[in-house]
Amino acid sequence: MRKYRLKSALCMLMVSALLLTGCGGSGNNSQSAVPEASEESKEANVDLEETDGKNTTEAEDSAEEENAKENESLRFAPEWTKDAVIYEVNVRQYTEEGTFAAFSEHLQEIKDMGINTIWFMPIHPISETNRAGTLGSYYSITDYKEINPEFGTKEDFKAVVDKAHEMGFHVMMDWVANHTGWDCPWITEHPDWYTQVNGEIISPEGMGWPDVADLNYDNVDMRKEMIACMQYWVEEFDIDGYRCDYANGVPKTFWEAARNGLYKIKPVYMLAEDDKALSLLDEAFDVNYNWPLYDTLIAVAKDSKPAERIQLYIPDKYPEGTYALNFLDNHDKNSYEHTIMEGIGKDAIPAMFALIYTIPGVPLVYTGDEIGLDHSIEFMEKDPIDWNSSDVSYREVLAALGAIRSRNTALYSGNYGGGIEYYNTGNKNVFCYSREKDGNTVKCVLNLSKREQTVDVSSIFEGTETVVLHGQGSEVLDIEEHAISEEKLSGEITLNPWEFWIAIEDR
């Protein structure tokens, strides 16, 4: 088991002014045009445990001890994840064509923003039975080993993955293990692989998803096939990790067995769409969603909470080596609640990005965030992004933040990086903190409000630090192609609305 530790080492007392979340013919989204998964990979270990409403079988009792021993060597995320910055790709809407081939032409633009990790939303065929909308939801999967023909072929997907790898990216896939679409061959070939009521297969209860059928994790054969499907993409396409949809809707022991099965091929990065079941990070996942932080950042941006509240939602106790995904936007929020412009606001976006790039965790950028896309992207229809629709671009600030993150070990994720120390300067709207690792210290001062703020930074800066990024509102200052500025910070300073400073010191 992972050991717990405080990641917010040196955190000051929280007082009134704190300153600165089968496959083959039967399974969820998949296709088949490349070799079948090997028989060896299909013999993945399977552990079973009851978690969040999913049933279990007695098989877990005999598997748990063996699995725990094997897990001892699988505890930490691959080293390449230490400075990961994840970009969520909505292939359908990224280009007019909505294909892998068209998207691949934009990889250099993404790399130029300092992004080094690509996450593809589900790429599998979408069921037509009970389909929602014209094109259907990516999360209603027909076959876990196939490719959605809307996006291209397996050869096209292999080409974009290979190109991304050649350019230095790592590639993650979205995995939907809780349910399949109604056209999945498993429905007719293995009805016992699904949850049934009065002999009828049902949709996940209480979720409002009539376009999908709920999988039955009592069934050991289904679990093995699901793991074999996950192994298939790692073996045949060299996938580097998975973002796992509705992770707490599936038994924890399944995810632990899946991680074991995947690690037989190579170390993979595992991201759980969950913020409730911290135990998922014990053995199965490296990262989970920081929903509470997201909600707080929205509240701060809308001036309904002071910046001091943010400290409460930067996790300070996680299983050792694990951490949170920090974001300002994602496909769910954009399509169903509000755009990044509506949620955060034009002038606040750079400061908020500066925050999520420098606090503990890994930052996420969603398709369109780089231009502050003020359009809720359709989920079930064709709705390509108009990349000329915005009068602002955040590409430069993202590139600067990516460079700062990669060059400073203090900002690395998990055990690779440093803890966080908060500074109480008496101003609840200015968030001040530092992170340190192996003599490398990064110090941040952010006015996270729409009003001018005055703050004394004497307790933070010694005059020996070097400013590496300074931003104000939607304008980014003092980047100079990410070179180091000679400007110094000391004493009492006045910050304009959404103005921020990032400085470093090496000893």
Side-chain angles (χ1 to χ4, degrees):
M1 300 290 286
R2 284 175 173 150
K3 298 177 182 178
Y4 287 77
R5 68 176 180 120
L6 285 177
K7 287 191 176 178
S8 294
L10 304 179
C11 177
M12 300 186 70
L13 291 175
M14 294 173 54
V15 291
S16 58
L18 292 171
L19 293 181
L20 330 147
T21 133
C23 288
S26 47
N28 285 5
N29 296 7
S30 302
Q31 296 183 339
S32 58
V34 171
E36 286 274 317
S38 69
E39 289 301 315
E40 179 181 352
S41 71
K42 292 181 180 180
E43 293 302 318
N45 290 342
V46 176
D47 293 339
L48 309 172
E49 178 183 288
E50 184 173 359
T51 299
D52 296 314
K54 289 290 184 182
N55 295 325
T56 63
T57 72
E58 295 180 0
E60 67 179 327
D61 295 330
S62 61
E64 185 171 355
E65 183 175 353
E66 179 181 351
N67 189 63
K69 291 178 180 178
E70 186 169 358
N71 279 354
E72 287 302 316
S73 63
L74 312 180
R75 282 314 84 235
F76 302 112
E79 186 177 4
W80 63 262
T81 66
K82 64 187 180 184
D83 62 346
V85 177
I86 302 175
Y87 188 92
E88 181 186 2
V89 181
N90 188 328
V91 175
R92 175 184 286 167
Q93 317 296 13
Y94 198 93
T95 63
E96 287 284 346
E97 300 88 344
T99 62
F100 296 127
F103 167 73
S104 69
E105 297 303 312
H106 297 269
L107 282 171
Q108 187 60 51
E109 298 170 21
I110 296 173
K111 184 177 178 66
D112 289 343
M113 289 190 292
I115 307 291
N116 54 26
T117 307
I118 298 292
W119 152 26
F120 285 105
M121 292 173 66
I123 62 171
H124 308 296
I126 297 170
S127 290
E128 295 186 8
T129 300
N130 297 336
R131 174 174 286 192
T134 304
L135 299 177
S137 167
Y138 311 102
Y139 296 86
S140 177
I141 294 167
T142 297
D143 193 325
Y144 287 107
K145 283 188 177 176
E146 286 297 334
I147 293 285
N148 185 348
E150 177 187 349
F151 300 158
T153 65
K154 283 189 173 179
E155 289 72 24
D156 294 332
F157 182 60
K158 185 70 163 60
V160 73
V161 172
D162 288 348
K163 181 177 179 180
H165 281 158
E166 289 169 5
M167 294 176 66
F169 290 101
H170 287 85
V171 180
M172 302 175 66
M173 285 176 59
D174 211 321
W175 199 261
V176 187
N178 180 75
H179 48 264
T180 74
W182 290 96
D183 295 335
C184 177
W186 290 357
I187 294 276
T188 55
E189 295 174 5
H190 304 285
D192 57 321
W193 289 8
Y194 291 85
T195 304
Q196 300 185 26
V197 173
N198 297 325
E200 298 292 330
I201 296 172
I202 63 170
S203 295
E205 294 185 294
M207 302 303 296
W209 300 334
D211 59 333
V212 297
D214 192 62
L215 285 165
N216 172 23
Y217 274 81
D218 272 353
N219 194 292
V220 174
D221 290 336
M222 184 277 291
R223 290 188 178 211
K224 288 183 177 180
E225 185 66 5
M226 183 69 76
I227 292 172
C229 290
M230 296 179 76
Q231 290 175 315
Y232 170 78
W233 296 96
V234 177
E235 288 182 321
E236 304 298 340
F237 295 83
D238 200 22
I239 292 302
D240 301 298
Y242 286 105
R243 176 268 186 189
C244 298
D245 183 68
Y246 187 30
N248 68 351
V250 174
K252 179 169 71 80
T253 48
F254 167 78
W255 292 123
E256 292 171 351
R259 185 184 184 100
N260 280 339
L262 293 168
Y263 263 63
K264 290 178 179 178
I265 305 168
K266 75 173 191 179
V268 292
Y269 194 35
M270 297 293 286
L271 165 61
E273 188 203 16
D274 173 68
D275 70 320
K276 306 296 184 187
L278 196 62
S279 63
L280 288 174
L281 299 174
D282 287 345
E283 305 291 348
F285 290 95
D286 305 300
V287 191
N288 69 355
Y289 272 48
N290 197 343
W291 286 113
L293 177 65
Y294 168 82
D295 292 336
T296 302
L297 296 184
I298 296 294
V300 170
K302 294 185 178 300
D303 207 26
S304 62
K305 286 185 180 180
E308 66 178 10
R309 301 289 294 177
I310 293 171
Q311 181 181 336
L312 299 175
Y313 303 103
I314 298 175
D316 63 357
K317 187 180 290 186
Y318 260 38
E320 186 179 3
T322 67
Y323 43 93
L325 178 78
N326 301 316
F327 51 92
L328 308 181
D329 192 19
N330 60 38
H331 65 270
D332 286 313
K333 293 298 181 180
N334 173 273
S335 292
Y336 297 111
E337 294 190 24
H338 44 63
T339 68
I340 191 172
M341 279 294 196
E342 294 167 338
I344 301 295
K346 178 179 178 179
D347 289 339
I349 288 173
M352 292 298 194
F353 269 130
L355 175 78
I356 68 170
Y357 269 69
T358 54
I359 61 175
V362 59
L364 171 74
V365 179
Y366 178 51
T367 296
D369 286 352
E370 60 265 50
I371 61 169
L373 184 68
D374 197 12
H375 173 73
S376 292
I377 304 170
E378 290 284 345
F379 207 74
M380 321 291 185
E381 312 291 338
K382 182 62 178 171
D383 186 22
I385 293 171
D386 180 357
W387 291 99
N388 297 312
S389 63
S390 176
D391 63 354
V392 66
S393 171
Y394 300 111
R395 292 185 175 96
E396 189 176 34
V397 70
L398 291 172
L401 289 167
I404 291 168
R405 179 174 168 80
S406 67
R407 294 172 183 173
N408 290 277
T409 56
L411 299 181
Y412 288 174
S413 299
N415 286 17
Y416 299 110
I420 184 167
E421 177 181 357
Y422 303 99
Y423 298 95
N424 182 355
T425 63
N427 188 320
K428 65 182 181 180
N429 294 303
V430 180
F431 198 47
C432 302
Y433 55 95
S434 67
R435 297 181 63 194
E436 187 277 332
K437 178 77 170 184
D438 298 333
N440 172 237
T441 302
V442 178
K443 299 181 178 180
C444 303
V445 175
L446 304 92
N447 176 10
L448 299 181
S449 78
K450 59 181 66 175
R451 294 169 299 282
E452 185 179 275
Q453 304 288 338
T454 298
V455 63
D456 189 337
V457 296
S458 299
S459 63
I460 305 171
F461 295 101
E462 302 173 3
T464 56
E465 301 86 355
T466 303
V467 173
V468 290
L469 185 60
H470 174 207
Q472 177 182 321
S474 60
E475 181 181 5
V476 178
L477 310 173
D478 301 335
I479 291 183
E480 299 178 0
E481 297 182 352
H482 321 318
I484 291 178
S485 167
E486 294 301 319
E487 195 159 3
K488 305 296 181 184
L489 289 175
S490 62
E492 188 174 89
I493 62 174
T494 297
L495 300 169
N496 290 315
W498 307 113
E499 185 174 4
F500 66 91
W501 298 83
I502 301 175
I504 64 171
E505 183 173 25
D506 291 302
R507 294 183 177 177

